[in-house]
């Protein structure tokens, strides 16, 4: 790809990716220590699920809250990869050319609902895809992160560090994930790939303050509100 095309790609995706109505493709169990803490087997292939665009929440927007059916809302801090150029069946060699940048993300999870779904062999949609289930940071242009596999990602609840991971510990690398995902569904400009959470996931309560960061790059802050009322 020419330098001019690359610049155009990055500029286009730097427009508010969370407002573009694109999907979030999420990877589960991509850190061994997290798979172990939930007694899950290590994956042989990436575990994928989706969040709709209505999952996105911005830092200055509404607070986080559990959906009405959930009594155990968990935080999962994750590195997000913002797609800058559409493609399907993207090779690993070309994968990074399709990346416009990054975002810090929280894969908020209705853990009790997820456990119930797992035990019944049902998909995780209720547990993962509810409104507001994906708080995101500002867009981080690709140039600010020379190596996305060399980042410390962390999360604190009320000033106490709960998650402290390093992206070098991902089981499946970003090029592998882009190749794998795009062999199943077309990746479009503005899509977000959540690359999985390190260990330390736990429940949040009403009134908690969550602060998360990529060391040296970005921090973001969210407040937890009361659970949504049953409609
Ligand atoms: C067990 C999970 O919720 C998987 C997941 O989302 C992850 O990040 O790992
Ligand atoms: Mg996750």
């Amino acid at each position: 790809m020419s330098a001019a095309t690359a610049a155009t790609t990055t500029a286009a995706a730097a427009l508010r990716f969370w407002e573009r109505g694109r999907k979030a493709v999420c990877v589960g169990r991509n850190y061994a220590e997290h798979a172990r803490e939930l007694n899950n087997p290590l994956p042989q292939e990436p575990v994928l699920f989706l969040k709709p665009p209505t999952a996105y929440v911005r830092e200055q927007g509404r607070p986080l809250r559990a959906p009405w059916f959930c009594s155990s809302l968990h935080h999962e801090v994750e590195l997000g990869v913002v797609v800058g150029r559409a493609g399907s069946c993207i090779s690993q060699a070309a994968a990074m050319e399709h990346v416009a940048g990054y975002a810090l993300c929280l894969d908020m999870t209705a853990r009790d609902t997820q456990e119930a779904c797992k035990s019944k062999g049902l998909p995780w949609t209720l547990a993962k895809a509810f409104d507001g289930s994906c708080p995101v940071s500002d867009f981080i242009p690709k140039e600010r992160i020379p190596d996305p596999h060399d980042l410390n990602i962390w999360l604190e609840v009320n000033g106490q560090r709960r998650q402290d991971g390093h992206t070098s510990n991902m089981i499946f690398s970003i090029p592998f994930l882009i190749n794998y995902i795009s062999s199943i569904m077309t990746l479009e400009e503005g899509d977000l790939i959540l690359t999985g959470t390190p260990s330390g996931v736990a429940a949040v309560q009403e009134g908690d303050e969550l602060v998360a960061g990529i060391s040296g790059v970005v921090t973001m802050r969210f407040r937890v509100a009361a659970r949504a009322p049953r409609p």
Side-chain angles (χ1 to χ4, degrees):
M1 180 170 49
S2 71
T5 312
T8 310
T9 296
T10 302
L15 298 171
R16 305 159 177 265
F17 70 89
W18 55 89
E19 288 180 354
R20 297 177 77 90
R22 298 299 193 200
K23 60 189 174 293
V25 186
C26 309
V27 180
R29 304 176 184 165
N30 201 22
Y31 288 79
E33 77 272 26
H34 169 59
R36 277 195 285 272
E37 75 180 343
L38 293 187
N39 295 319
N40 290 317
L42 292 187
Q44 301 301 309
E45 292 200 333
V47 174
L48 300 184
F49 55 92
L50 294 172
K51 287 181 190 271
T54 45
Y56 295 135
V57 186
R58 300 284 302 138
E59 199 173 2
Q60 306 301 338
R62 60 206 151 100
L64 313 187
R65 59 184 197 171
W68 59 268
F69 49 82
C70 163
S71 44
S72 182
L73 179 66
H74 272 208
H75 56 77
E76 296 190 2
V77 70
E78 311 198 3
L79 176 67
V81 177
V82 179
V83 175
R85 185 154 61 98
S88 69
C89 299
I90 301 167
S91 69
Q92 286 199 53
M96 297 310 287
E97 294 172 18
H98 289 257
V99 174
Y102 303 92
L104 186 62
C105 307
L106 302 183
D107 169 15
M108 298 305 295
T109 302
R111 192 69 72 199
D112 50 343
T113 310
Q114 185 189 35
E115 291 304 324
C117 291
K118 280 161 63 178
S119 68
K120 293 177 195 157
L122 293 173
W124 297 353
T125 309
L126 266 67
K128 293 285 197 177
F130 54 89
D131 284 355
S133 61
C134 193
V136 291
S137 74
D138 287 339
F139 174 75
I140 304 160
K142 187 180 186 176
E143 298 71 32
R144 284 200 56 206
I145 296 188
D147 182 359
H149 301 101
D150 186 18
L151 297 172
N152 179 229
I153 55 175
W154 53 269
L155 179 138
E156 292 176 355
V157 179
N158 302 329
Q160 281 203 323
R161 191 140 310 198
R162 294 260 190 96
Q163 292 192 266
D164 203 352
H166 200 270
T167 55
S168 60
N169 292 322
M170 284 183 201
I171 297 171
F172 302 109
S173 70
I174 292 168
F176 186 96
L177 292 173
I178 290 173
N179 169 251
Y180 183 82
I181 294 166
S182 71
S183 75
I184 300 163
M185 63 189 94
T186 300
L187 285 169
E188 299 173 285
E189 180 186 327
D191 281 354
L192 183 66
I193 299 171
L194 268 66
T195 55
T197 195
S199 61
V201 302
V204 298
Q205 311 297 336
E206 177 182 351
D208 281 353
E209 185 185 58
L210 275 55
V211 181
I214 301 174
S215 299
V217 179
V218 75
T219 60
M220 62 181 190
R221 186 180 301 267
F222 289 90
R223 182 69 69 176
V224 181
R227 179 168 63 173
R230 183 172 188 155

